[in-house]
Amino acid sequence: MMKKLLVSLLFVLAVLFGCSYGESVLAKDVLPIGPNIVTVRTVGLYQVSDDVTIYKEPHDDSMILYRVRWNNDEFFPENIGAEKFFTVFLPEKELALVNVVDVTDDWVEIVYDNSNGKTGWIKKDDPYKFMTWINFYNTYGKKYGLRMLKSVPAVCKDVKSAPEDTAKTLSTINMPQKINLNVIRGNWALVSVLDLDRLPKTGYIRWRSDDGVRYYFPEVK
């Protein structure tokens, strides 16, 4: 009797949380939380399919490092995992983006493990699936705004009068409610900030370091 009650309870919980009993669930939506100091020197993002073969070198005869497969319920191989593989993963939007280190006419060098910066090559299946960082920020940042990542250095919260470290500090971002992106200029972004103190703040912030550590990331919806 007790066993039947437990099974029934599990079934009800599975229904409530959108999965079936005994079925594993893929990791939650993946978006950067804090600056990644391991994976820095990347040139953009690539939209990957749900079945990706990763090669050591950019040619068909190269050694295959991994075959990555995923759907809304599972990710293989488990030792990499969705949170290490994707930079942005929103399954409901069918958006699956990975960091890119290099691009050729037919191949893309991606970071397949963001925890330690391991890279490999995949074949291009569509040239329009690659976006430079500037294109990505302009596409999503201008539409939805930017968000400040956790543990951002204090100097990156300063709003400057010009895109220079030595420029005058106009104000400081404390608890931003909305950061509107206006223009990207190199490693600097011209923004308009709605902060908790309700004071208007417009100027330049450093959105990434000189070696590519990103401190702000577009809201992706």
Side-chain angles (χ1 to χ4, degrees):
M1 182 66 178
M2 182 61 69
K3 184 177 180 180
K4 288 183 178 180
L5 287 172
L6 287 173
V7 171
S8 298
L9 179 60
L10 285 171
F11 177 77
V12 171
L13 290 173
V15 171
L16 289 173
F17 289 97
C19 60
S20 60
Y21 174 57
E23 183 180 14
S24 61
V25 178
L26 186 62
K28 299 177 182 178
D29 294 348
V30 176
L31 286 170
I33 297 174
N36 187 329
I37 62 174
V38 176
T39 306
V40 290
R41 298 190 182 278
T42 54
V43 295
L45 297 166
Y46 190 79
Q47 169 82 43
V48 292
S49 66
D50 58 3
D51 193 338
V52 182
T53 302
I54 303 172
Y55 297 81
K56 186 175 182 180
E57 302 292 340
H59 53 79
D60 292 321
D61 297 329
S62 176
M63 180 176 67
I64 295 176
L65 299 175
Y66 287 98
R67 182 184 174 192
V68 171
R69 289 165 291 161
W70 56 270
N71 55 44
N72 287 347
D73 299 312
E74 298 172 302
F75 184 97
F76 301 101
E78 293 183 359
N79 64 308
I80 295 178
E83 292 185 358
K84 293 180 182 179
F85 183 70
F86 298 113
T87 303
V88 174
F89 180 59
L90 300 175
E92 290 186 0
K93 300 292 184 181
E94 297 183 349
L95 192 62
L97 304 175
V98 295
N99 277 318
V100 173
V101 176
D102 196 8
V103 181
T104 70
D105 289 340
D106 301 312
W107 294 81
V108 183
E109 186 180 10
I110 68 166
V111 181
Y112 65 83
D113 189 337
N114 284 295
S115 65
N116 51 34
K118 289 184 178 179
T119 68
W121 293 85
I122 65 173
K123 281 185 176 182
K124 273 186 184 176
D125 55 5
D126 186 336
Y128 297 103
K129 288 185 176 181
F130 169 70
M131 284 190 294
T132 65
W133 282 116
I134 300 302
N135 287 341
F136 176 70
Y137 273 69
N138 282 333
T139 299
Y140 289 94
K142 286 186 176 180
K143 186 174 182 179
Y144 300 115
L146 302 177
R147 58 190 178 87
M148 185 168 59
L149 301 180
K150 292 182 178 179
S151 303
V152 164
V155 293
C156 295
K157 299 179 182 180
D158 291 339
V159 180
K160 299 282 190 175
S161 60
E164 301 172 356
D165 289 318
T166 57
K168 180 182 178 181
T169 299
L170 302 175
S171 56
T172 301
I173 300 175
N174 297 306
M175 299 180 66
Q177 308 302 297
K178 182 71 181 292
I179 303 176
N180 294 310
L181 172 63
N182 301 315
V183 177
I184 291 278
R185 292 185 179 175
N187 296 327
W188 294 81
L190 177 61
V191 296
S192 300
V193 184
L194 175 63
D195 214 335
L196 191 62
D197 56 19
R198 299 293 176 179
L199 295 176
K201 299 176 181 180
T202 299
Y204 289 91
I205 58 171
R206 189 178 256 282
W207 69 273
R208 70 178 174 186
S209 68
D210 291 336
D211 61 357
V213 178
R214 288 170 294 281
Y215 303 122
Y216 293 82
F217 202 81
E219 295 281 4
V220 183
K221 300 178 182 178

